[in-house]
Amino acid sequence: MLFDLSSTPIAVDFLRQGMMSQDCGGFVAFEGWVRDYNEGKAVLRLEYEAYAELAILEGRRIIHEALDQFPIKDVRSVHRVGLLDLKEVAVWVGVSAIHRGEAFDACRYVIDEIKSRVPIWKKEFFADGTTAWTRCQNCAGDIGNK
Amino acid sequence: MLFDLSSTPIAVDFLRQGMMSQDCGGFVAFEGWVRDYNEGKAVLRLEYEAYAELAILEGRRIIHEALDQFPIKDVRSVHRVGLLDLKEVAVWVGVSAIHRGEAFDACRYVIDEIKSRVPIWKKEFFADGTTAWTRCQNCAGDIGNK
Amino acid sequence: MSPPEPLVRQVRLRYFAILREHAGISCEERETTSTTVEELYGEIKEEKGFDLEKEFIRVACNGDFVDLDCSLADGDEIVFIPPVAGG
Amino acid sequence: MSPPEPLVRQVRLRYFAILREHAGISCEERETTSTTVEELYGEIKEEKGFDLEKEFIRVACNGDFVDLDCSLADGDEIVFIPPVAGG
């Protein structure tokens, strides 16, 4: 389980405990939370839709890239799919390493790449009754919502 | 409780849940774990000793610096004191923000500053029966074990 | 001598997210005379009224990303991938 | 006219970590003729045999960091802070 999709709440504490190791000195985790506001409108909930087979393939590629590029011990990530309420964890990335600088760098690499490359889409349900598939922030070639 | 010392295990999941907010999109956490090896020798356990009053004062200063310097929502940190076993969490830093880049930057700032400025010392108990107060990595003016 | 390429290819299309909602279906089998995925996207875009230009999509063929100029073969499963904004 | 500074000051010293172990005590009251914390560190270093040069320590007076050239006052609580390697 290096990268996976989950249709149930992400068990963040279970995941981090599963990475605990006595030969690592540092652990960095990122969590993406469902936010109540986007593009100037109040958001009530979200739906994530994935092209699951390719999302898992591409997610695992990103994990392997991180393992190749950074001197880290372990890296894992889970992305939610389906309907999510406010404050739920939409995506989690955990990285363990001997030194913390590399854990920070690898964690940031993984979340940036996931957000720009993995085929998962977000539909926002606004308080005014409208919905929208969130506009791409990557079209201009940058890697988006950093 | 922006920065605190704890003589009992750090309740990481309780702390992160206490920071969950529906107006934040990203959360970054750092955990320093007790490692079984340092300077070429097997480590059995650690002891952290703090100059508690000044550690708390300086730790809270660092937190306020982070809140001033980065557009983040919240930042908190806890450092253990006393005897720790392998794999225990020695220090935890959590940062919530609207955008993830700033959460990463602030989290890294806080842990780097804590490690170089807060008067907490680490004594290592080695498998060969010797002990050592860990050598300073900051003497040459850099900020150490990045 | 190998047989000539058929003029009509049978492909399977799957739609996700905004394209699924625009198309009103999540998959379809279709016969096409397009020879590349780029040509196929032009065909579908016009038929369904998609407003995403081809510069903004990526394409998967048989479960992995391919370039827009990738040739179509009979039996291919094609997915047009609208811009991703996960997390 | 304020009274002249006394030649001898009563200060309280606390020791932590490697300095505590080297000194064999965690605090002491002492009378000193040193007029700055730097001078006081030289006095203590020689008496206790500390091997940490003053360039590698920081000093706290009455609960907060001060510079090495900070003047000593009667009743001050002084802590010499060996290099930190927390986390």
Side-chain angles (χ1 to χ4, degrees):
Chain A
M1 195 305 289
L2 294 176
F3 177 84
D4 225 336
L5 302 177
S6 172
S7 56
T8 56
I10 297 176
V12 170
D13 199 48
F14 176 81
L15 291 167
R16 64 170 279 281
Q17 287 193 37
M19 292 184 73
M20 289 202 90
S21 160
Q22 60 188 38
D23 57 359
C24 288
F27 175 75
V28 172
F30 172 80
E31 300 177 23
W33 294 342
V34 178
R35 190 150 57 96
D36 63 1
Y37 217 77
N38 199 21
E39 297 179 13
K41 292 167 79 171
V43 174
L44 297 182
R45 58 184 184 142
L46 292 186
E47 183 173 4
Y48 284 98
E49 178 172 339
Y51 172 13
E53 307 95 299
L54 185 53
I56 289 172
L57 180 67
E58 189 72 353
R60 291 180 183 175
R61 274 187 192 134
I62 291 167
I63 298 289
H64 285 291
E65 289 164 10
L67 288 168
D68 284 346
Q69 290 172 32
F70 301 95
I72 55 180
K73 168 82 176 177
D74 200 1
V75 46
R76 300 181 195 172
S77 177
V78 179
H79 202 299
R80 276 292 297 277
V81 291
L83 285 170
L84 276 77
D85 289 320
L86 298 181
K87 298 208 289 182
E88 283 205 79
V89 177
V91 57
W92 174 89
V93 179
V95 178
S96 62
I98 292 180
H99 298 298
R100 68 183 182 278
E102 293 140 1
F104 276 108
D105 291 340
C107 190
R108 198 160 176 166
Y109 175 82
V110 168
I111 188 61
D112 286 350
E113 295 299 306
I114 286 173
K115 293 220 181 201
S116 66
R117 291 164 48 187
V118 173
I120 301 175
W121 300 273
K122 176 165 73 176
K123 184 177 188 173
E124 288 175 302
F125 294 78
F126 297 108
D128 64 9
T130 62
T131 64
W133 291 96
T134 300
R135 187 192 311 277
C136 169
Q137 293 147 321
N138 304 327
C139 301
D142 69 15
I143 54 172
N145 178 38
K146 294 176 76 172
Chain B
M1 197 304 291
L2 294 175
F3 176 83
D4 225 335
L5 302 178
S6 173
S7 56
T8 56
I10 297 175
V12 170
D13 200 48
F14 176 81
L15 290 166
R16 62 170 280 280
Q17 287 192 38
M19 293 185 71
M20 290 203 88
S21 160
Q22 61 189 37
D23 57 359
C24 287
F27 175 76
V28 172
F30 172 79
E31 299 177 23
W33 294 342
V34 178
R35 192 149 54 95
D36 63 0
Y37 217 78
N38 198 21
E39 297 179 14
K41 292 167 81 173
V43 174
L44 298 181
R45 58 186 184 143
L46 291 186
E47 184 173 3
Y48 284 98
E49 179 172 339
Y51 173 13
E53 308 94 298
L54 184 53
I56 289 172
L57 180 67
E58 188 73 353
R60 290 180 183 174
R61 275 188 191 132
I62 292 167
I63 298 290
H64 285 291
E65 289 165 11
L67 288 167
D68 283 346
Q69 291 172 31
F70 301 95
I72 54 180
K73 170 81 175 174
D74 200 0
V75 48
R76 300 181 196 173
S77 177
V78 179
H79 202 300
R80 273 295 295 280
V81 290
L83 286 170
L84 277 77
D85 289 320
L86 299 181
K87 297 208 290 184
E88 282 204 79
V89 178
V91 55
W92 174 88
V93 179
V95 179
S96 61
I98 292 180
H99 299 297
R100 69 183 181 276
E102 292 140 1
F104 276 107
D105 291 340
C107 190
R108 199 160 176 167
Y109 175 81
V110 168
I111 187 61
D112 286 350
E113 295 299 306
I114 286 173
K115 293 221 179 200
S116 65
R117 291 165 47 188
V118 173
I120 301 174
W121 299 273
K122 176 166 72 175
K123 183 177 189 173
E124 287 174 303
F125 294 78
F126 296 109
D128 63 10
T130 62
T131 64
W133 291 97
T134 301
R135 187 194 311 276
C136 169
Q137 292 148 322
N138 305 326
C139 301
D142 69 14
I143 53 172
N145 178 37
K146 295 176 77 172
Chain C
M1 236 176 67
S2 54
E5 285 285 299
L7 289 179
V8 173
R9 292 167 184 83
Q10 175 86 16
V11 296
R12 177 179 162 83
L13 285 155
R14 294 169 67 190
Y15 300 103
F16 291 95
I18 199 165
L19 296 185
R20 178 180 52 72
E21 290 195 350
H22 281 196
I25 49 172
S26 52
C27 64
E28 65 176 320
E29 307 277 344
R30 78 190 283 137
E31 297 189 327
T32 181
T33 54
S34 296
T35 59
T36 65
V37 293
E38 176 169 5
E39 222 181 308
L40 180 63
Y41 184 68
E43 180 187 326
I44 303 287
K45 178 178 184 294
E46 187 173 321
E47 181 187 304
K48 312 280 189 194
F50 290 164
D51 54 11
L52 266 174
E53 297 303 326
K54 68 178 187 222
E55 288 74 18
F56 298 132
I57 60 154
R58 300 178 75 192
V59 186
C61 176
N62 301 327
D64 204 355
F65 294 109
V66 293
D67 291 332
L68 269 178
D69 60 4
C70 179
S71 296
L72 278 179
D74 208 48
D76 279 348
E77 179 181 276
I78 303 295
V79 181
F80 298 115
I81 296 176
V84 163
Chain D
M1 238 180 65
S2 55
E5 285 287 297
L7 289 178
V8 172
R9 292 166 184 85
Q10 174 88 15
V11 296
R12 179 180 160 83
L13 285 154
R14 292 170 68 191
Y15 299 103
F16 291 96
I18 198 164
L19 296 185
R20 177 180 53 70
E21 290 195 349
H22 280 195
I25 49 173
S26 52
C27 65
E28 63 175 322
E29 306 278 344
R30 78 189 284 137
E31 297 190 328
T32 180
T33 55
S34 295
T35 59
T36 65
V37 294
E38 178 170 3
E39 221 181 308
L40 180 63
Y41 184 67
E43 180 187 327
I44 304 286
K45 178 178 183 293
E46 187 174 320
E47 180 187 306
K48 312 281 189 196
F50 291 166
D51 54 9
L52 265 174
E53 298 302 325
K54 69 182 185 213
E55 288 74 18
F56 298 132
I57 60 154
R58 300 179 74 191
V59 185
C61 177
N62 301 326
D64 204 356
F65 294 109
V66 294
D67 291 331
L68 269 179
D69 60 4
C70 180
S71 296
L72 278 179
D74 207 48
D76 278 350
E77 180 182 276
I78 303 296
V79 181
F80 298 114
I81 297 175
V84 163

